[in-house]
């Protein structure tokens, strides 16, 4: 009896050690995969955020988006069917000229939707910021300008980063002035624009 119990106990110990090792490896593998998934999700969220910011900057700069059109329709509309002529002689007689191939009608562009027309009629972010700068009596930061635009136009969204980029673009074009106080940056309308506005108001008062 003792002789059969000893091998059984030894075999059980081997199985237990193997199972314990497999469990440890499985746990470590799960932790590694979970860490990779978390890292990939963070990268995806960052890229989606950058994409949104870039789209807003493109809209702020007034860059029109090219309308999407199927490649097959664009090719058929751009290249008309050539006229086919045959000038071969058969049996000493000229073949009759073949009739010209009918031209394919260019596909009609869909009528603009009311929502698209209303969106196109709205002033761009550049125009809104320029108007707001002309109304200011003292410099304002990009966050303050963004908040003011959001209150004046609640139907639109104004991201602080997009407003700041647009303001820097106006500064580069001499359509806005930038002043720095410590670590804070403030923006105002150019002095020439303020003078022109004052002259226009004075002329209106004289009339």
């Amino acid at each position: 009896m003792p002789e059969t119990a000893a091998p059984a106990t030894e075999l059980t110990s081997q199985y237990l050690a193997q199972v314990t090792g497999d469990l440890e490896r499985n746990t470590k593998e799960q932790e590694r995969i979970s860490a990779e998934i978390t890292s990939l999700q963070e990268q995806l969220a960052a890229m989606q955020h950058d994409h949104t910011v870039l789209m807003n900057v493109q809209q702020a700069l007034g860059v029109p988006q090219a309308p999407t059109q199927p490649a097959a329709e664009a090719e058929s509309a751009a290249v008309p069917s050539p006229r086919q002529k045959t000038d071969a002689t058969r049996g000493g007689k000229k073949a009759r000229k073949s009739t010209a191939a009918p031209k394919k009608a260019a596909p009609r562009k869909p009528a603009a939707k009311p929502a698209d027309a209303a969106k196109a009629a709205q002033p761009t972010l550049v125009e809104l910021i320029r108007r707001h700068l002309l109304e200011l009596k003292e410099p304002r930061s990009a966050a303050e300008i963004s908040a003011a635009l959001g209150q004046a136009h609640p139907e639109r969204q104004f991201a602080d980063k997009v407003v700041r980029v647009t303001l820097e673009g106006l500064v580069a074009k001499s359509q806005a002035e930038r002043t720095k106080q410590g670590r804070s940056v403030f923006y105002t309308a150019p002095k020439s624009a303020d003078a022109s506005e004052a002259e226009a108001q004075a002329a209106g008062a004289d009339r």
Side-chain angles (χ1 to χ4, degrees):
M1 187 69 178
E3 295 178 359
T4 58
T9 303
E10 184 179 354
L11 185 60
T12 302
S13 300
Q14 292 178 359
Y15 281 141
L16 181 60
Q18 183 176 356
V19 170
T20 302
D22 291 342
L23 283 173
E24 291 179 356
R25 285 190 294 270
N26 186 281
T27 302
K28 291 180 180 180
E29 189 68 13
Q30 289 185 29
E31 293 176 353
R32 182 185 65 81
I33 294 176
S34 298
E36 290 182 358
I37 293 175
T38 302
S39 177
L40 290 175
Q41 288 177 344
E42 292 176 354
Q43 293 179 13
L44 177 61
M47 293 182 67
Q48 290 175 345
H49 178 267
D50 292 343
H51 181 269
T52 302
V53 171
L54 291 173
M55 291 292 291
N56 291 333
V57 171
Q58 185 183 43
Q59 181 182 2
L61 296 177
V63 179
Q65 296 182 357
T68 57
Q69 185 178 9
E73 295 183 3
E75 184 178 356
S76 62
V79 182
S81 300
R83 293 178 178 273
Q84 298 177 354
K85 295 182 179 181
T86 57
D87 195 15
T89 58
R90 295 180 180 176
K93 296 181 179 180
K94 293 185 178 180
R96 293 182 179 180
K97 296 182 179 180
S98 60
T99 58
K103 295 183 178 180
K104 295 183 179 179
R108 295 182 179 179
K109 295 183 178 180
K113 296 181 180 179
D116 296 338
K119 185 176 181 181
Q122 293 181 352
T124 62
L125 180 60
V126 175
E127 295 174 355
L128 291 177
I129 292 178
R130 290 179 61 185
R131 294 175 187 174
H132 185 70
L133 290 176
L134 291 174
E135 297 173 357
L136 294 177
K137 301 300 182 182
E138 57 185 9
R140 290 287 187 271
S141 65
E144 292 174 338
I145 295 174
S146 177
L149 292 177
Q151 292 179 357
H153 304 276
E155 73 282 358
R156 299 178 63 173
Q157 296 181 354
F158 301 93
D160 293 350
K161 187 174 182 179
V162 177
V163 173
R164 187 179 300 105
V165 171
T166 306
L167 286 166
E168 291 296 333
L170 291 175
V171 171
K173 296 179 182 179
S174 299
Q175 297 178 1
E177 291 185 357
R178 175 179 55 189
T179 57
K180 196 170 184 181
Q181 299 179 5
R183 294 184 178 180
S184 302
V185 179
F186 298 92
Y187 301 90
T188 56
K191 295 180 180 179
S192 58
D194 293 341
S196 300
E197 185 181 10
E199 292 177 0
Q201 292 178 356
D206 294 340
R207 291 180 184 176

